[in-house]
Amino acid sequence: MDDRETPLLDELEEGDWPSFVAELKRAAEKSAMSADLLRQIERSYADNTGHWKRGGIVGVRGYGGGVVGRYSAMPEEFPGVKEFHTLRVNEPAGFYYTTEKLRELCDVWDKYGSGLLNLHGSTGDIILLGTTTENLQPCFDALGEIGFDLGGSGSAMRTLSCCVGQSRCEHACIDTMDVTHDLTMNFQMEIHRPAFPYKFKIKVSGCPNDCAAASARSDLAIIGVWRDAIEIDQQGVAEYVDEGFDLFNRVIRRCPTWALDWDAEEKRLKLTSEDCVHCMHCINEMPKALRVGQERGAAVLIGGKAPVVKGAMIGWVLVPFMRLEPPYQELKDLIVQVTEFWAEHGKNRERLAELIDRLGMPAFLEGIGVEPCPQMVDAPRSNPYLFWREEEVKHA
Amino acid sequence: MSYVDVNGKQIEVDEDGFICDPDLWNEEIVRCFARLEGVDELTDDHWKVIHYLRGYYRQFGIAPMIRKLCKETGFNLQRIYELFPSGPAKGACKLAGLPKPTGCV
Ligand code: SF4
Ligand code: SF4
């Protein structure tokens, strides 16, 4: 067989969806690295096992992370991927690029790497796939020249990411892009010089729709929220109804806390605001008539993560409402408190959620100096998990 | 595997340049690795970090967590990176002759 043939990978090009194989083949035309990558992957499919070595510590001056070392386990056969390191590059907040910037980025990567990249990794980084140890420093320097920096890797604060927020979305209660940019600049040390027990992710969503998947995918989630009542344009609601919108079945019946009611005679939507749990459902259904409230800020959740050691966890509310205006000092102080506590008490490779699970929520709250409050519940209005100590209970 | 030439002696290292046999470690090797990791001159502060890492490794068989390294040596993270520009894991541990750390420092 011609060693450029890839019968197994070709199978992946069948069907309706675009395939990475097509892109790899295009890259292989231009770069010997990508050609060997293609051949090694084909071999992996044939052998039914990966041919990458585990681990690898490489980097650039002054940084403890941002590069993920990778070596082929079969360097004699596939010399082009003998060294095939990944660079994580910090994406701009909200993932906005000019086409010019993307071209510059690609030029750098064509010069120093395989020419293959991935937009974006799960932390949000631009993933530049495959370069040699020798090229790392010059590539990093060239990236710096065009205004890019590396992101986080290893036991560090990882690259922050956010939803588009106010730049494109009427639901945004906070300026997600500014918060993300500001925190990124503020925590440069924590991002580039890993010194935590394990990874620490922060994501910012502008409203509880949580398009950044912050509550499920970050150790500390910042989610825009309002604390007054949803704004209702009664005229707008009436128009929905007049146009045949099934208000009862699509909205009223689906409000998780039965906070909405429809007065058919007066044609008024009534909201019992203290019952609203900010799920966004009614607003999403009737965006022309309902809006987030005016008193806006963010809720801070902690402990979300993807399944690794202890299974997936969703974040808990830590601070139900915090005003978020530059310079975001209260938020920064809280992040420092939380990460300090974790760095002090966490075991190696113990995520924040697992530490809280081990020590208990009361110990954690005491450690970071946050008072327990009723909003810190496992599931809204059902399961408060905080137990008071005997001496804290006032007997009548 | 590759080899690094230390005053005529071939020392076996892994692909990241970490020593394969920690028992071969000596001060000559440190000086040679230092050049490769961008450390121009080895000062007392460098040796303090190196000796601490070696002691910890001999006792526990692994590298300490970064925070512990900072606490025990009295150098903050900034200082560690000044001493070892390629960082505590890639720089300091390599000079201290530890095998490649897996996810601690
Ligand atoms: S999370 Fe909310 S504010 Fe952000 S994009 Fe989604 S809907 Fe809009
Ligand atoms: S946001 Fe959710 S909880 Fe609040 S009123 Fe609308 S549907 Fe009900």
Side-chain angles (χ1 to χ4, degrees), chain B:
Chain B
M1 280 300 155
S2 22
Y3 292 85
V4 172
D5 182 291
V6 181
N7 294 342
K9 258 184 97 178
Q10 299 293 308
I11 300 295
E12 192 181 5
V13 294
D14 73 4
E15 59 271 89
D16 289 325
F18 284 83
I19 200 166
C20 291
D21 180 359
D23 291 337
L24 291 179
W25 183 86
N26 61 40
E27 298 201 354
E28 281 308 307
I29 291 179
V30 181
R31 280 177 229 289
C32 172
F33 283 5
R35 280 194 298 279
L36 298 173
E37 292 303 320
V39 179
D40 298 329
E41 199 198 329
L42 286 160
T43 63
D44 289 350
D45 285 358
H46 290 96
W47 287 111
K48 188 169 172 190
V49 172
I50 291 169
H51 287 307
Y52 171 71
L53 285 171
R54 272 203 82 73
Y56 191 96
Y57 175 72
R58 263 203 305 275
Q59 198 174 348
F60 301 104
I62 52 164
M65 281 167 80
I66 296 268
R67 222 177 146 80
K68 188 151 178 67
L69 171 71
C70 291
K71 253 190 207 158
E72 301 289 326
T73 56
F75 300 141
N76 62 22
L77 202 54
Q78 177 74 35
R79 182 77 187 127
I80 298 278
Y81 276 84
E82 280 164 18
L83 294 169
F84 303 95
S86 50
K90 183 173 175 288
C93 284
K94 188 183 287 177
L95 264 62
L98 272 55
K100 185 153 59 199
T102 52
C104 306
V105 284

Side-chain angles (χ1 to χ4, degrees), chain A residues 163-165 169-173 176 205-212 280 284:
Chain A
C163 76
V164 293
C169 183
E170 73 272 26
H171 299 324
C173 300
T176 56
S205 278
C207 81
N209 278 337
D210 195 5
C211 296
M280 292 297 290
N284 290 338

Side-chain angles (χ1 to χ4, degrees), chain A residues 70-377:
Chain A
R70 169 152 292 198
Y71 298 93
S72 169
M74 310 177 86
E76 282 82 29
E77 268 176 86
F78 309 111
V81 288
K82 179 170 182 262
E83 293 162 358
F84 200 74
H85 311 312
T86 295
L87 286 155
R88 293 200 181 138
V89 177
N90 200 133
E91 85 289 0
F95 304 113
Y96 287 101
Y97 303 89
T98 59
T99 55
E100 191 191 352
K101 233 352 121 187
L102 281 176
R103 277 171 224 279
E104 287 174 16
L105 181 74
C106 292
D107 285 344
V108 168
W109 193 233
D110 276 336
K111 183 167 176 196
Y112 294 105
S114 71
L116 290 164
L117 55 81
N118 169 306
L119 298 173
H120 297 91
S122 74
T123 33
D125 299 280
I126 304 161
I127 310 286
L128 302 180
L129 289 160
T131 188
T132 59
T133 308
E134 195 187 353
N135 275 354
L136 285 173
Q137 188 68 41
C139 183
F140 169 70
D141 295 341
L143 289 169
E145 290 288 319
I146 58 166
F148 284 101
D149 191 8
L150 295 186
S153 71
S155 296
M157 183 178 289
R158 297 299 184 82
T159 311
L160 287 83
S161 70
C162 63
C163 76
V164 293
Q166 288 168 343
S167 69
R168 283 189 63 200
C169 183
E170 73 272 26
H171 299 324
C173 300
I174 51 172
D175 187 345
T176 56
M177 291 167 60
D178 189 56
V179 173
T180 301
H181 182 257
D182 195 299
L183 293 181
T184 300
M185 298 315 280
N186 189 69
F187 289 111
Q188 282 292 296
M189 187 80 161
E190 288 76 1
I191 292 172
H192 297 307
R193 298 178 168 177
F196 288 152
Y198 205 9
K199 60 183 114 174
F200 191 80
K201 299 187 184 179
I202 298 179
K203 291 185 195 293
V204 189
S205 278
C207 81
N209 278 337
D210 195 5
C211 296
S215 65
R217 299 301 297 271
S218 57
D219 299 272
L220 190 135
I222 299 157
I223 297 181
V225 74
W226 65 95
R227 69 171 168 188
D228 50 350
I230 290 172
E231 273 187 21
I232 304 175
D233 167 10
Q234 295 294 353
Q235 182 66 34
V237 179
E239 276 167 26
Y240 270 100
V241 174
D242 290 344
E243 282 165 20
F245 179 83
D246 188 351
L247 183 68
F248 180 75
N249 279 310
R250 283 182 63 178
V251 176
I252 300 199
R253 207 165 62 83
R254 292 206 173 147
C255 169
T257 50
W258 289 90
L260 294 165
D261 207 356
W262 174 242
D263 186 329
E265 249 159 59
E266 280 189 44
K267 287 207 160 184
R268 283 186 78 78
L269 182 67
K270 288 190 192 150
L271 166 70
T272 311
S273 192
E274 58 272 32
D275 282 344
C276 168
V277 291
H278 309 88
C279 80
M280 292 297 290
H281 176 72
C282 59
I283 301 175
N284 290 338
E285 285 286 326
M286 299 193 291
K288 286 186 223 160
L290 304 185
R291 280 183 76 91
V292 296
Q294 279 303 323
E295 211 184 313
R296 299 170 187 178
V300 180
L301 279 65
I302 38 138
K305 64 177 203 59
V308 181
V309 182
K310 269 209 163 163
M313 292 184 174
I314 200 110
W316 302 274
V317 170
L318 179 63
V319 179
F321 187 87
M322 182 187 278
R323 284 210 175 281
L324 274 195
E325 268 134 34
Y328 313 111
Q329 201 51 51
E330 194 185 348
L331 179 61
K332 288 172 188 164
D333 291 346
L334 181 73
I335 293 170
V336 170
Q337 290 280 48
V338 169
T339 51
E340 276 288 310
F341 178 83
W342 171 56
E344 194 58 40
H345 299 276
K347 297 183 194 167
N348 191 27
R349 300 209 150 217
E350 184 172 47
R351 288 287 280 273
L352 177 62
E354 291 153 1
L355 172 71
I356 297 173
D357 203 44
R358 177 162 66 82
L359 298 182
M361 193 68 173
F364 171 67
L365 292 178
E366 211 174 286
I368 62 166
V370 170
E371 289 280 319
C373 73
Q375 284 89 342
M376 297 171 179
V377 292

